[in-house]
Structures are given as C-alpha cells and as structure tokens.
C-alpha cells in the first residue's frame, strides 16, 4: 500500500508532458496489489495478461470520464497542455488492445487450464472494443 501511495504521489507531481510515464505509473498503481498477491502464492503466470487487461480497462474508463466532462488527475494533467491528448489516448488504447490480443493468441491458446480465462478476456476485449469504437463514431 505504501508503494501504491508513492506511485500516486509520483503521478500527481509528474511533468504534464510525459504521457508514457504517466501510463506506466497508472499501470503500477492498478496492478501492484495483484502482483504481490500472485507472488505470495508463487503463481505469476497471469501477471502480464492481468496487468495489460487492467490497464486497458483503466484507459477506457479515463476516456469515458473525459467524454462525460469528469476529470481525474490523469486527464487533468494532459487536457490543458496537450490539444491532441484525446487522439493519443485513443491510439494508446488501440495499441494496448492489439498487444493483449496477440498475447492471448500466443501465450494462452494451447493451455486448457487457461482456456476459460482466454475466452472471458476475448469476449470482454471484443465488447470493450465494440463499445469503444461506437463511442468514437458517435462523437464524430
């Protein structure tokens, strides 16, 4: 929890122009607890997958907040100083979704134990991607 709080402070005080660093810190904030639990149980096999999935969900949530005129620390850092922030965020979400889909197809398709997880995440990705693309079209 101390490490998560330190990362929250790092995010708050980070330079406004460092989108990649901000995303990296957000990923740490959202996944540190999960990583420590996995480490405790000596099973970190799904860490990378879970970390990417949680990051995608967070980025989509941040984008939806922006569209609803709700601002988080993350959004507030970039909206005023970066006119192309929304476009960069959209590209980042698409990139992360493609990366996750590739990871699913390469790392988890052959393992029957992980088949349910892959199916669930696959459905969620397609659902999120569909909702995400629909919202882009609606906006213009």
């Amino acid at each position: 929890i101390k490490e998560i709080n330190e990362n929250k402070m790092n995010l708050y005080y980070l330079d406004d122009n460092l989108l990649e660093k901000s995303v990296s810190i957000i990923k740490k904030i959202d996944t540190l607890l999960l990583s420590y639990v996995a480490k405790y149980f000596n099973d970190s096999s799904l860490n990378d997958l879970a970390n990417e999935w949680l990051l995608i969900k967070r980025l989509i949530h941040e984008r939806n907040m922006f569209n609803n005129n709700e601002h988080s620390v993350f959004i507030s850092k970039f909206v005023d100083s970066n006119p192309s922030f929304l476009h960069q965020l959209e590209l980042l979400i698409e990139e992360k979704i493609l990366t996750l889909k590739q990871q699913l197809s390469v790392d988890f398709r052959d393992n029957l134990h992980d088949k349910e997880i892959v199916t669930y995440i696959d459905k969620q990705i397609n659902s999120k991607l569909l909702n995400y693309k629909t919202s882009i079209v609606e906006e213009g």
Side-chain angles (χ1 to χ4, degrees), residues 104 109 114-124:
L104 284 171
R109 291 283 181 212
D114 297 327
K115 198 74 163 172
E116 289 181 25
I117 294 169
V118 170
T119 302
Y120 171 78
I121 292 178
D122 228 4
K123 285 180 183 176
Q124 291 294 309

Side-chain angles (χ1 to χ4, degrees), residues 34-44:
L34 179 68
S35 297
Y36 277 109
V37 170
K39 186 177 179 179
Y40 176 80
F41 286 107
N42 293 322
D43 186 5
S44 59

Side-chain angles (χ1 to χ4, degrees), residues 63 90 129-140:
R63 184 183 182 282
E90 290 169 356
L129 187 58
L130 181 62
N131 291 338
Y132 173 70
K133 290 292 186 186
T134 302
S135 68
I136 291 174
V137 170
E138 288 171 356
E139 291 168 16

Side-chain angles (χ1 to χ4, degrees), residues 61-117:
H61 175 73
E62 293 288 338
R63 184 183 182 282
N64 291 342
M65 286 179 64
F66 178 80
N67 288 336
N68 293 329
N69 292 321
E70 300 171 18
H71 294 276
S72 68
V73 171
F74 174 69
I75 291 173
S76 298
K77 293 184 86 51
F78 295 102
V79 171
D80 296 331
S81 65
N82 186 351
S84 65
F85 167 73
L86 184 58
H87 179 69
Q88 288 177 331
L89 186 58
E90 290 169 356
L91 291 176
L92 183 61
I93 292 169
E94 288 179 19
E95 174 189 323
K96 294 296 180 182
I97 288 173
L98 287 175
T99 301
L100 184 61
K101 282 186 166 202
Q102 289 172 344
Q103 187 179 7
L104 284 171
S105 66
V106 172
D107 296 342
F108 296 96
R109 291 283 181 212
D110 297 331
N111 187 341
L112 292 176
H113 176 263
D114 297 327
K115 198 74 163 172
E116 289 181 25
I117 294 169

